[in-house]
Amino acid sequence: MRVEVLASESLGVRSMAVEVEVCGTRILIDPGAALGPKRYGLPPDEVELARLSELRALIRERLRLAGIVIITHYHFDHYTPDWAEDLRGKRVFLKDPARNINRNQARRAGEFLERLSRAGVRWEVAEGRRLRLSGGEIVISGPLWHGPEARFGCVVAVSVREGETTFLHSSDVSGPVREEALEFIFSQRPDILFLDGPSTYLGPRFGLEALEVARRNLLRLIGEISPESLILDHHLLRDLSWSRWAEPLLEAAEGRRVRILSGAEFSGKPLLLLEAERHLRRRAGI
Ligand SMILES: [Fe+2]
């Protein structure tokens, strides 16, 4: 199995775009990338805009090569409405556009489905699907909450197995802070876990208690599953001091041969925390 993180916060944009290759089938999960509209009271700068177009080009190039595309929810850092035509001829799984969804995402999903139908793209509901591949299998979770609050609706997580190796893409489970997300991860026992860490950068706005729950859940995953690679990224990597928050996790991982790393490190690419460093570039006049 080949797993490549194409875009994420550790690579300079908001995204969880991943390419997984199993016996010659390329699977693209979440073909989208975006920038934080306001951080430290500042809009994205030129450095971030340039990186966004570079990574969007990379994701689109891989999208064209993919046989299977999975979109876990309708936030613009996870899908790109303008690329509807690129999905033609592929097996496309979409988070259920009608159920377990908030109003904003239901509207976006409706618009996206219109584009897909104009482009002649067929699609299937992702929730709960199990798909056999030659040499592997894809298992998609049921609806999982996007973080501690219900107002953001639900996402789906994706597990891909080839032989004895399992990769799991959590989508925006923010922690995982909720029990259902944790249960799905336990049921799959991934060797490589690409997890959306919680929004420590929001602090009390995320919920201090929820942050504690997320850390406890991560400790359980490290202790009980001990994945070979635990990739923490997305919301967590919007925080420059994420590793201070993750200290107990790093300690627990050490004794269990679990590598905790960002998407950039996992895929051997330079670490670029562009959103988290936006204020520093402004101060330095870059
Ligand atoms: Fe996201």
Side-chain angles (χ1 to χ4, degrees):
M1 178 189 296
R2 185 180 62 82
V3 178
E4 183 180 346
V5 179
L6 301 177
S8 71
E9 272 71 349
S10 66
L11 290 161
V13 296
R14 291 186 171 185
S15 177
M16 281 188 85
V18 169
E19 183 185 47
V20 189
E21 192 172 345
V22 174
C23 294
T25 303
R26 287 177 187 242
I27 304 153
L28 189 47
I29 307 171
D30 283 352
L35 298 175
K38 205 150 234 182
R39 195 66 202 283
Y40 312 109
L42 300 167
D45 59 22
E46 293 300 321
V47 177
E48 286 172 271
L49 290 165
R51 186 63 174 159
L52 179 66
S53 56
E54 190 183 340
L55 290 183
R56 273 196 177 147
L58 172 69
I59 299 169
R60 194 167 197 186
E61 183 190 302
R62 301 302 176 87
L63 178 63
R64 289 177 172 146
L65 298 172
I68 298 172
V69 180
I70 303 168
I71 292 174
T72 66
H73 64 295
Y74 303 91
H75 282 158
F76 294 133
D77 49 343
H78 296 264
Y79 82 115
T80 312
D82 288 347
W83 297 348
E85 295 211 352
D86 294 314
L87 295 171
R88 200 182 295 127
K90 304 182 188 301
R91 191 114 193 238
V92 177
F93 293 91
L94 303 179
K95 190 247 162 283
D96 191 327
R99 278 174 299 181
N100 301 298
I101 192 164
N102 67 3
R103 197 183 303 166
N104 178 36
Q105 289 193 67
R107 182 180 46 75
R108 286 182 187 177
E111 288 166 9
F112 189 47
L113 294 188
E114 276 176 34
R115 285 176 187 248
L116 292 179
S117 108
R118 279 201 298 275
V121 175
R122 296 161 63 101
W123 59 275
E124 300 162 64
V125 167
E127 273 88 334
R129 293 299 303 276
R130 190 175 276 265
L131 185 70
R132 294 227 170 270
L133 306 171
S134 68
E137 187 183 31
I138 299 177
V139 179
I140 306 178
S141 73
L144 305 174
W145 290 109
H146 184 300
E149 291 177 57
R151 69 190 167 106
F152 292 116
C154 288
V155 303
V156 291
V158 181
S159 168
V160 183
R161 186 181 56 77
E162 183 187 29
E164 295 296 302
T165 307
T166 300
F167 164 75
L168 194 147
H169 177 285
S170 77
S171 189
D172 287 12
V173 298
S174 308
V177 68
R178 310 271 294 220
E179 204 57 35
E180 314 83 49
L182 197 60
E183 274 169 26
F184 180 71
I185 299 169
F186 276 126
S187 75
Q188 299 301 308
R189 304 196 73 82
D191 305 281
I192 307 166
L193 174 53
F194 182 32
L195 201 53
D196 167 38
S199 302
T200 51
Y201 77 108
L202 294 176
R205 280 193 288 144
F206 182 78
L208 297 180
E209 206 178 306
L211 286 175
E212 280 312 311
V213 172
R215 190 156 45 188
R216 244 190 345 258
N217 288 343
L218 283 163
L219 281 169
R220 279 188 62 193
L221 288 171
I222 293 166
E224 295 174 39
I225 296 186
S226 306
E228 179 191 302
S229 298
L230 172 56
I231 308 166
L232 291 179
D233 212 310
H234 208 37
H235 288 93
L236 184 61
L237 272 282
R238 294 176 196 174
D239 182 357
L240 282 179
S241 52
W242 73 271
S243 56
R244 199 177 321 142
W245 180 85
E247 235 160 61
L249 310 175
L250 296 162
E251 265 171 41
E254 229 177 64
R256 291 190 161 77
R257 293 167 60 193
V258 175
R259 294 192 306 161
I260 294 187
L261 65 187
S262 65
E265 292 164 306
F266 177 79
S267 291
K269 301 174 186 179
L271 189 68
L272 287 175
L273 299 180
L274 295 185
E275 177 179 326
E277 289 174 349
R278 189 181 289 172
H279 60 317
L280 303 179
R281 285 192 305 280
R282 165 63 77 95
R283 224 177 283 157
I286 297 169

